[in-house]
């Protein structure tokens, strides 16, 4: 369901449909630690839907489940540090602020919730749902991120076809004023409701990411545009629609920037949830450095922070790790799978 490299790249955490979390050694992909966090419902463990490592400080792994569970663990020991349950909600995504002081969750009910990492307690809640939404399921959020270069801003997107940006100091969508030190301090992009909305992304997975002042989304569409890049410093300009870089069409399920922002990874399925594909491209040239096909749906992808590695996770529980370099063969074979 989800994979993440640890901040030091020594481990890859993998989350599974049966509620299991496994910490794998990066070099060998052999398990180092395993535990189950899924709550029972109807006699079955509920899936773990997202993971996030605390970027600095304590060795903390944030885990969310479709049952609404939000839990933190010491990923070196498996010890549970805190746990809360978002009642009557299904969680699909989470993220840490770059300084580790806050984390965020989102899911079915279209609410973005900010938690204090020191206590594990909920500190703020605000909604991405339209004021007069007639179809609440269409407001589900599948990707939520802190904007590292402006740490008081959070961006969230899902089925609604828009990505909404919030300033957590006000707990309301960012408007055209009072966004001190944020990238959007003087933007003209807010509509009459006072919301900053990037129109276009339609997500069914964690397929939105932010690097510096750029937002990248890979929409779950066959028709174009599927790959879109926004510049938050130029909100008045139309987003950049990126060309599809390979000959293999698929429906994106996940997308990421590399740590330095130079590469983009996208993966998904052919719509039948049987065959799948993925690519990594150099952002500047859209030149593929990984162009791969798989026998099973790809659910998640992630770049290592300091090593030229990118990982893809398939629905059968296999982690595929590729070398992510421009030199040499453009279509890299996996170094470990």
């Amino acid at each position: 369901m989800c994979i993440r490299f640890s901040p030091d790249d020594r481990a890859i955490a993998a989350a599974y449909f049966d509620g299991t979390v496994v910490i794998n050694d990066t070099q060998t992909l052999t398990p180092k630690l395993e535990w189950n966090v899924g709550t029972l419902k109807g006699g079955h463990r509920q899936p773990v839907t997202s993971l996030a490592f605390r970027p600095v400080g304590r060795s903390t792994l944030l885990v969310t489940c479709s049952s609404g569970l939000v839990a933190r663990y010491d990923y070196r020991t498996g010890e549970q540090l805190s746990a809360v349950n978002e009642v009557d909600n299904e969680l699909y995504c989470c993220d840490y602020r770059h300084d580790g002081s806050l984390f965020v969750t989102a899911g079915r009910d279209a609410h973005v919730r900010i938690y204090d990492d020191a206590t594990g307690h909920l500190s703020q809640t605000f909604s991405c749902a339209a004021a007069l939404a007639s179809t609440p399921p269409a407001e589900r959020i599948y990707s939520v991120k802190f904007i590292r270069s402006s740490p008081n801003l959070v961006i969230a997107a899902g089925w609604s076809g828009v990505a909404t940006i919030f300033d957590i100091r006000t707990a309301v969508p960012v408007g055209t004023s009072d966004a001190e030190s944020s990238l959007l301090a003087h933007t003209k992009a807010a509509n009459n409701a006072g919301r900053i909305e990037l129109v276009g992304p339609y997500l069914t997975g964690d397929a939105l990411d932010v690097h510096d002042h750029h937002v990248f989304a890979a929409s779950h569409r066959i028709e174009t545009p599927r790959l879109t890049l926004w510049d938050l410093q130029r909100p008045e300009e139309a987003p950049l629609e990126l060309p599809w870089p390979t000959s293999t069409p698929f429906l994106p399920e996940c997308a990421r920037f590399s740590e330095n922002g130079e590469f983009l990874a996208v993966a998904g399925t052919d719509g039948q949830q049987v065959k799948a594909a993925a690519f990594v491209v150099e952002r500047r040239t859209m030149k593929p450095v990984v162009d791969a096909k798989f026998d099973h749906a790809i659910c998640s992808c992630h770049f290592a922070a300091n090593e030229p590695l990118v990982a893809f996770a398939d629905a059968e529980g296999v982690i595929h790790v590729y070398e992510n370099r421009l030199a040499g063969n453009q279509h890299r074979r996996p170094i470990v799978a």
Side-chain angles (χ1 to χ4, degrees):
M1 297 292 288
C2 183
I3 53 170
R4 290 291 183 268
F5 282 95
S6 63
D8 60 8
D9 296 335
R10 295 180 180 177
I12 300 179
Y16 292 84
F17 194 79
D18 66 352
T20 300
V21 174
V22 179
I23 306 297
N24 299 281
D25 181 87
T26 303
Q27 297 301 315
T28 64
L29 290 190
T30 55
K32 297 170 62 177
L33 188 64
E34 178 179 328
W35 67 93
N36 195 292
V37 304
T39 54
L40 283 170
K41 184 177 181 180
H44 300 283
R45 295 281 184 182
Q46 297 302 293
V48 176
T49 52
S50 64
L51 302 168
F53 282 97
R54 194 179 196 272
V56 294
R58 296 186 296 273
S59 55
T60 303
L61 178 66
L62 175 65
V63 177
T64 68
C65 294
S66 61
S67 62
L69 176 69
V70 184
R72 295 180 304 154
Y73 293 84
D74 185 323
Y75 65 86
R76 301 188 188 280
T77 65
E79 176 189 1
Q80 187 179 89
L81 305 175
S82 70
V84 297
N85 192 62
E86 296 186 9
V87 179
D88 297 325
N89 193 21
E90 294 179 5
L91 292 173
Y92 307 136
C93 51
C94 65
D95 192 34
Y96 257 107
R97 194 157 81 166
H98 74 285
D99 62 0
S101 63
L102 302 171
F103 59 87
V104 60
T105 67
R108 186 187 64 186
D109 70 358
H111 283 75
V112 172
R113 293 175 173 85
I114 307 295
Y115 291 82
D116 184 287
D117 185 69
T119 63
H121 295 160
L122 179 66
S123 60
Q124 287 177 288
T125 302
F126 44 103
S127 177
C128 285
L132 300 175
S134 58
T135 55
E139 304 293 342
R140 294 184 182 200
I141 300 170
Y142 285 98
S143 191
V144 65
K145 299 287 190 301
F146 278 99
I147 297 177
R148 185 184 303 183
S149 59
S150 191
N152 290 309
L153 297 186
V154 174
I155 185 169
W159 277 359
S160 67
V162 298
T164 306
I165 299 174
F166 290 85
D167 188 324
I168 64 174
R169 292 167 298 182
T170 61
V172 297
V174 176
T176 56
S177 63
D178 193 27
E180 179 184 354
S181 77
S182 82
L183 293 170
L184 305 177
H186 305 293
T187 183
K188 305 296 184 182
N191 63 20
N192 293 333
R195 305 168 73 93
I196 291 297
E197 293 181 342
L198 308 179
V199 178
Y202 172 67
L203 311 184
T204 60
D206 189 11
L208 178 143
D209 203 9
V210 183
H211 183 270
D212 197 10
H213 51 88
H214 289 99
V215 176
F216 175 60
S219 292
H220 191 87
R221 297 188 179 106
I222 288 294
E223 73 278 6
T224 57
R226 284 172 283 177
L227 309 178
T228 312
L229 194 66
W230 289 264
D231 187 340
L232 298 182
Q233 289 186 336
R234 296 181 174 87
E236 71 283 355
E237 296 184 1
L240 181 63
E241 297 175 6
L242 304 178
W244 194 258
T246 72
S247 61
T248 306
F250 61 83
L251 295 169
E253 295 284 350
C254 55
R256 302 289 296 192
F257 275 109
S258 63
E259 186 70 16
N260 60 11
E262 294 181 4
F263 296 91
L264 299 169
V266 179
T269 72
D270 64 358
Q272 303 300 317
Q273 303 297 309
V274 178
K275 298 294 182 180
F279 59 75
V280 176
V281 295
E282 185 194 24
R283 177 176 154 195
R284 181 177 58 86
T285 63
M286 292 300 289
K287 177 181 179 180
V289 295
V290 173
D291 183 4
K293 296 180 182 179
F294 305 93
D295 291 330
H296 304 285
I298 299 296
C299 308
S300 181
C301 62
H302 199 235
F303 285 96
N306 304 299
E307 300 292 334
L309 300 174
V310 61
F312 300 95
D314 74 24
E316 290 297 306
V318 179
I319 301 172
H320 309 265
V321 181
Y322 287 77
E323 189 176 28
N324 177 48
R325 296 180 188 271
L326 275 175
N329 182 12
Q330 295 179 23
H331 307 300
R332 292 280 173 178
R333 296 180 62 83
I335 59 172
V336 182

